[in-house]
Amino acid sequence: MMLDVDSEQVLHVVDEAVRFECPWNAEEISSRLILSGWEPVGSVSLPYPERLGRSGLLLGIENDGYLVIVGVTLKEWQADLNSARYVRVVTEGYKEIIQDCREMANQLTSLLGQRFSVEPEDLVFDMDEFPFVHVDCWKVTDIHVILGLEHLDPDDTPIRVSLYLSQGSTD
């Protein structure tokens, strides 16, 4: 399982996010991302598209009324109990993917550091809401950037590597 992600696309999302007006407004974020080249994906929810796509990446805008979170699925592997490789990755504690995530985190930190102030930080999300197996977190200017490896249930949910951006926390 390889983690092949276009770092420039990830950098573009963070670059847009640091320019969002405070406090974040989900509808304005959706409009701004569409203007920057993201396109609505699937059925369009009203009053704004919550799911967007660009260059093979899927982006979701979550708004629970007090916190807006932008999440980008960077890579996803479907649950496949018939695949020896999938079973090995899960039973060995995801170490192969965790190593790929660490490499990506180092690359992302380096790229972000060329444009922004980047500081490592503790996770600002509630672990009960996000099934992280591994996570790297940074404060980039005034936003939280979280790179997470997620897997809720090995029997029927995909393994995902996602990037989350927010101004606030779920703690």
Side-chain angles (χ1 to χ4, degrees):
M1 295 186 169
M2 289 292 299
L3 186 58
D4 183 27
V5 176
D6 183 352
S7 298
E8 283 302 314
Q9 292 299 322
V10 175
L11 205 53
H12 171 77
V13 174
V14 176
D15 191 46
E16 285 294 324
V18 298
R19 292 186 269 144
F20 295 155
E21 291 184 23
C22 299
W24 282 12
N25 174 290
E27 188 170 352
E28 289 174 16
I29 289 171
S30 180
S31 295
R32 184 167 183 146
L33 289 169
I34 289 170
L35 289 173
S36 75
W38 289 81
E39 297 179 2
V41 173
S43 61
V44 176
S45 53
L46 297 176
Y48 61 90
E50 296 175 356
R51 302 277 176 246
L52 304 173
R54 179 178 172 166
S55 301
L57 297 179
L58 294 175
L59 179 145
I61 302 168
E62 302 293 328
N63 182 4
D64 65 6
Y66 74 96
L67 180 66
V68 175
I69 298 173
V70 175
V72 182
T73 301
L74 303 176
K75 188 71 176 180
E76 180 175 275
W77 298 272
Q78 294 301 318
D80 183 359
L81 297 176
N82 295 320
S83 163
R85 189 166 189 189
Y86 175 85
V87 171
R88 186 186 79 244
V89 164
V90 172
T91 58
E92 291 180 356
Y94 311 92
K95 65 182 177 183
E96 179 181 330
I97 302 174
I98 289 171
Q99 181 58 39
D100 287 346
C101 286
R102 286 184 176 135
E103 290 172 13
M104 181 175 191
N106 289 338
Q107 179 184 20
L108 191 56
T109 303
S110 176
L111 289 171
L112 290 170
Q114 293 173 15
R115 295 185 186 185
F116 310 106
S117 167
V118 178
E119 296 295 328
E121 70 174 355
D122 292 332
L123 182 63
V124 296
F125 289 171
D126 182 348
M127 286 294 287
D128 292 336
E129 293 182 41
F130 295 86
F132 291 125
V133 174
H134 175 80
V135 68
D136 288 288
C137 309
W138 309 275
K139 183 84 169 195
V140 177
T141 63
D142 67 341
I143 65 169
H144 305 286
V145 177
I146 295 111
L147 176 67
L149 169 61
E150 305 170 85
H151 202 201
L152 182 61
D153 182 351
D155 292 332
D156 65 2
T157 62
I159 300 170
R160 283 192 187 102
V161 176
S162 301
L163 185 77
Y164 291 98
L165 310 167
S166 78
Q167 278 185 319
S169 71
T170 62
D171 288 352

